[in-house]
Amino acid sequence: MNTLVIYTHPNHESLSYAFLQEVLRGSRDNEAVKEIKVLDLYKEGFDPVLVFNKEKRRRDMHSDPGLAKYRDQLTWADRIVLVYPIWWGRPPAMLMGYIDQMFASGFAYKDKGGLLPEGLLKGKSVICISVMKGPAHYPLLWLGNAHKILMRKALFNYVGIRKVKFFEFGSMESPRGKHARKLDRVYRYFKTAR
């Protein structure tokens, strides 16, 4: 299984970075994982800003030569792992800018003229690992599960990815946040996941 890990946090001393390390460690210890690639959006200098004008049209985004490398990564991957914080109830703008550009019509889905498109990324799986300052149930109880609905239904199901798993860790700025136990949980999952 080819695994693409997309890391979205500007600080390599963050808890998100610690979760990235456990994803990598667990994946390396998993015999089912053939190869792992990491895309660190901040380190990469990925430009999340959409630009549309006479030369760069939205309908041509699926073939933008500047994004070819990233399309190749997504095509190559059997499993896509996203590691990011929850800021203001949603993923960082950097990750959303990546999603806006990469999950384009003609690459990630094809309009069929009906209510729903044909997802072109079928057969892949996604794992979202997010950390937040607030309590673990904050997104569910206060925000109506907006984060999971956004990622699962509005994005991944739309492009044909049905297997989506979430690790949402809350109270991560608290000294009682049980960091070691949560990091171990992620390691153990990636060590055994098929």
Side-chain angles (χ1 to χ4, degrees), residues 90-140:
R90 53 134 182 92
M94 174 68 88
L95 180 56
M96 297 312 294
Y98 171 86
I99 288 167
D100 287 346
Q101 293 178 67
M102 297 316 306
F103 291 85
S105 175
F107 171 71
Y109 68 93
K110 178 172 61 175
D111 287 316
K112 299 186 305 183
L115 181 61
L116 293 174
E118 176 186 354
L120 301 177
L121 299 179
K122 294 179 185 118
K124 298 180 184 301
S125 65
V126 170
I127 302 162
C128 297
I129 302 170
S130 58
V131 299
M132 66 192 108
K133 178 181 178 179
H137 297 296
Y138 171 77
L140 172 64

Side-chain angles (χ1 to χ4, degrees), residues 52-70:
F52 298 128
N53 52 37
K54 288 181 182 178
E55 293 80 36
K56 194 169 185 175
R57 298 175 183 223
R58 185 166 194 257
R59 67 175 173 247
D60 299 328
M61 200 162 47
H62 70 280
S63 60
D64 183 331
L67 300 173
K69 166 179 129 176
Y70 305 110

